Amino acid sequence: MFKWSLLCLWMISCFFLRTPGVLASHQTTAVLVNKKENVLHVCEYTPEGAYRVLKTYHATLGQVKGDKEDENDLKTPEGIYTFKALLKPPSLQKKFGIMSFYMNFPNSFDQLAGRTGSGIMLHATNEPERLKKNFDSEGCVVVKNEEISEIAPHIRLGLTPILIFSDLTKDYMNPGQNAQLTQFFRGWIQNWESKDIEKYISNYHSDFSANGKNKSAWRSYKARLNSLYSSIQIGPEDVRFYSHPKYSMVTFTQNYHSQLKGGGIGHKSRGTKILYVAEESGQPKIIAETYTDLMW
């Protein structure tokens, strides 16, 4: 199993930012959960690459302390997640109050680590007395009905991250100064666009997996595409980096455009790319990535 160490960064790189389109993955808020203090912060990014806390709420967490490993272990997971669905009554069970946001646990990183479970949510409750306890959920993050109504406008499904920490220290509140990860991302884009397959694949973790392909299969797949195209442009917009002790998550709008060697258009797409970056041999490496198409 792999070893992870801290890879932290949040930044907006002027080198990469382009004029965002209507459906670009522009995201300026994040939800931070500190399990040690049982609090949830709704935060806004600043141009300086820091989180500015807009409001703080008490959060009731999993009945069993520690990082979630298995289904039904009653632990709240630690990591970086996005919200994949919103449910309200009558489709929502009464015990979850007026609103529930489902997290994408287990995400790609969790799956590689062998973590199991489902139904992890940020939700309210129809039993206000539960919120007087710090640890009373089955692994979810629980707030009051009126509080989730305040939080909801800050959440964009599939984009807004929720970062859950065992202990959120000030080191994670100003994450925009990590030159190593900034340069790593920039180099990855340059290697991809230059079609340098060896440099490109060197950016990937030995345990990498995406779309059913391991690192070797990914190399073969990308090498075949390189042989077809005379040029590749990625056009990243709205680059966002999120920091956590276990791994980093990079999100951006990818504007992919390739030209065939014969002169025709190869492939054109626009979507949200998410990279999961873990450390290997002291260097940041992509261990998983996902892509979701957006409308033009």
Side-chain angles (χ1 to χ4, degrees):
M1 196 56 68
F2 11 94
K3 295 181 180 179
W4 304 287
S5 65
L6 176 63
L7 287 173
C8 302
L9 178 69
W10 182 93
M11 60 150 292
I12 302 174
S13 174
C14 294
F15 181 86
F16 288 113
L17 289 179
R18 315 283 177 90
T19 303
V22 174
L23 293 179
S25 60
H26 184 65
Q27 179 57 39
T28 60
T29 57
V31 177
L32 308 183
V33 176
N34 186 348
K35 294 172 71 174
K36 184 177 181 179
E37 298 182 359
N38 286 90
V39 297
L40 178 152
H41 304 290
V42 175
C43 299
E44 179 182 30
Y45 290 124
T46 70
E48 294 74 31
Y51 293 121
R52 183 173 71 88
V53 176
L54 301 176
K55 196 161 184 179
T56 298
Y57 305 90
H58 173 267
T60 295
L61 304 172
Q63 297 170 32
V64 179
K65 296 182 181 181
D67 191 4
K68 187 171 185 61
E69 297 286 343
D70 302 302
E71 180 82 39
N72 299 320
D73 64 9
L74 302 179
K75 298 178 181 179
T76 300
E78 297 166 12
I80 309 173
Y81 303 97
T82 57
F83 298 101
K84 63 181 182 178
L86 167 63
L87 286 184
K88 296 181 179 181
S91 58
L92 183 66
Q93 295 181 51
K94 289 184 178 179
K95 67 178 182 178
F96 298 131
I98 64 168
M99 199 180 306
S100 175
F101 289 92
Y102 277 80
M103 302 180 204
N104 67 331
F105 177 90
N107 62 22
S108 297
F109 190 87
D110 295 314
Q111 292 171 31
L112 286 169
R115 294 183 172 86
T116 61
S118 60
I120 301 299
M121 300 174 279
L122 166 62
H123 67 79
T125 177
N126 66 338
E127 301 177 49
E129 290 299 309
R130 291 184 58 201
L131 296 170
K132 294 180 180 180
K133 303 176 184 179
N134 286 334
F135 306 99
D136 192 56
S137 80
E138 296 178 0
C140 297
V141 179
V142 188
V143 296
K144 296 177 181 178
N145 279 333
E146 57 268 32
E147 292 173 342
I148 203 165
S149 293
E150 293 179 0
I151 296 168
H154 297 281
I155 294 176
R156 296 178 64 192
L157 295 181
L159 289 177
T160 302
I162 177 168
L163 295 83
I164 305 176
F165 297 83
S166 61
D167 183 13
L168 173 58
T169 66
K170 63 181 182 180
D171 296 332
Y172 297 96
M173 297 303 293
N174 299 279
Q177 304 301 319
N178 190 324
Q180 183 187 41
L181 194 55
T182 304
Q183 294 168 3
F184 169 77
F185 180 75
R186 185 173 299 173
W188 173 70
I189 294 290
Q190 292 173 340
N191 296 158
W192 190 359
E193 292 187 330
S194 68
K195 302 195 301 173
D196 189 327
I197 190 62
E198 296 306 329
K199 287 184 178 179
Y200 171 81
I201 204 65
S202 71
N203 294 301
Y204 286 80
H205 198 285
S206 59
D207 291 307
F208 171 80
S209 179
N211 300 332
K213 296 179 176 64
N214 61 17
K215 184 176 179 179
S216 177
W218 193 256
R219 183 194 185 285
S220 298
Y221 166 63
K222 290 296 185 176
R224 181 179 63 82
L225 292 178
N226 285 352
S227 69
L228 298 175
Y229 301 142
S230 61
S231 66
I232 296 174
Q233 295 179 346
I234 308 305
E237 297 175 1
D238 300 313
V239 183
R240 298 288 184 270
F241 289 66
Y242 302 101
S243 311
H244 193 277
K246 290 166 65 174
Y247 56 90
S248 294
M249 188 178 83
V250 186
T251 67
F252 64 98
T253 299
Q254 177 177 294
N255 295 289
Y256 185 97
H257 179 82
S258 61
Q259 193 83 11
L260 292 169
K261 289 185 175 179
I265 296 176
H267 180 72
K268 187 176 182 180
S269 63
R270 177 175 172 81
T272 299
K273 174 67 68 70
I274 297 178
L275 307 178
Y276 296 89
V277 181
E279 186 176 274
E280 185 173 42
S281 300
Q283 298 296 318
K285 303 288 181 179
I286 299 169
I287 197 166
E289 64 180 72
T290 64
Y291 173 82
T292 305
D293 270 317
L294 292 171
M295 295 174 56
W296 279 85

